Amino acid sequence: MKSKFTAVILALFLGGLGIHRFYLGQNIKGILYLVFCWTFIPSLIAFCDFLAFIIMSEERFNYKYNLQSGL
C-alpha cells in the first residue's frame, strides 16, 4: 500500500528525477522525467505534483493509487 506522505516527500525532494512516479507505479512517466530532467521542466511538474498531493484527500489518494495495485 502506497503512502501519501512518502509520495509527497519524494515529489518534493526527488521529483525532478521522477522518483515519486516510480513509487506510484507510473514507470513510463518516471522514465520521461528521467529523460528530460536536464531541462528542469520535470522539476516544475514535480512541484505541481507535490502541491496536488498536499491538497488531495487521503481517500482520493487511496482510490487513485492504491486501488489499482490491489486488483
Side-chain angles (χ1 to χ4, degrees):
M1 185 153 180
K2 296 169 185 81
S3 166
K4 179 181 168 184
F5 178 75
T6 304
V8 167
I9 295 300
L10 289 175
L12 181 62
F13 293 112
L14 298 172
L17 299 174
I19 303 303
H20 66 294
R21 291 297 176 184
F22 288 113
Y23 174 72
L24 295 173
Q26 299 173 335
N27 295 333
I28 302 297
K29 286 184 180 181
I31 290 170
L32 287 173
Y33 277 61
L34 279 175
V35 168
F36 292 105
C37 70
W38 61 275
T39 65
F40 296 106
I41 292 172
S43 296
L44 295 173
I45 298 171
F47 185 71
C48 293
D49 290 339
F50 164 74
L51 294 176
F53 291 150
I54 291 289
I55 295 169
M56 187 181 297
S57 70
E58 193 73 35
E59 293 81 22
R60 177 73 178 146
F61 181 86
N62 287 331
Y63 179 76
K64 189 170 184 179
Y65 297 109
N66 288 326
L67 193 60
Q68 295 169 352
S69 64
L71 296 177

